[in-house]
Amino acid sequence: MRVENLDEKIRMVIGDLLGRADPVSKKVLTAFDSSKDPVQNKEQFLKFTRSELDTCAMFLGIKLLHPVSGDKLFKNRPLLARHIVLHIMALFPSVCSECQSEYQVSPGDNPVLRCHVCLQGSHNCLQVLGVLEVIQSSPVLQGTVWLCSFCHEANDVCSIAPSQSNQHTAQSTPAEAATPHQPTNQHQISSDVLLSKLENVAKEKKKK
């Protein structure tokens, strides 16, 4: 199943953000181009200062400091810029990997699961809640991460050469840490490789 009228719905999401944003955050958000892939949008955001990116991150509800130590969660601008891009894209409509229904996570929502790769929040349907219950009640599944349907399709580890496989470098804050779902003892690949694969999958879906 694919999201109907996705481009129009994405424009509505961006429009809503711009309508509510403060001047600095609006300046940053205006640089986002939904026709470009995450890596290209990250590069666009790197033209802004750390202060401007921090302001936009706070507007989006991204936590910047560790709740205990007070240390910065994003040590440099590229990490923060990438996180902002993924956080924006996580607000776009998606298809539930469990019930196959179209859904959308709105700003301020607190989904029970978040994708370990793209930060997409889960659909809070009965099927997802059932998956969460199984995960939480099974010691065997502890230490695993959840992937949304889009990233699960892009993260086809069988098609990735062993030399490309390494420790996943995606950053997530404690409040947004992925809830276990997908075993971490499977091959994991770098975020750049996954972002590239996500772009390819998106292009293929548009052809259908």
Side-chain angles (χ1 to χ4, degrees), residues 139-156:
V140 178
L141 296 177
Q142 297 305 308
T144 58
V145 295
W146 179 75
L147 298 181
C148 68
S149 58
F150 191 63
C151 290
H152 192 278
E153 181 178 351
N155 188 24
D156 181 6

Side-chain angles (χ1 to χ4, degrees), residues 13 16-17 20 60 87-94 103-111 114 120-124:
V13 171
D16 175 67
L17 291 176
R20 295 185 295 104
L60 292 171
H87 200 90
I88 293 171
M89 296 178 68
L91 299 174
F92 297 166
S94 185
Y103 74 101
Q104 183 175 341
V105 176
S106 301
D109 286 353
N110 189 26
R114 275 201 182 274
Q120 174 69 48
S122 67
H123 187 207
N124 290 350

Side-chain angles (χ1 to χ4, degrees), residues 32 34 40 57-58 117 130 142 148 152 154-155 157 190 195:
F32 183 87
S34 61
Q40 292 173 317
M58 288 187 289
V117 176
Q142 297 305 308
C148 68
H152 192 278
N155 188 24
V157 296
S190 72
L195 289 175

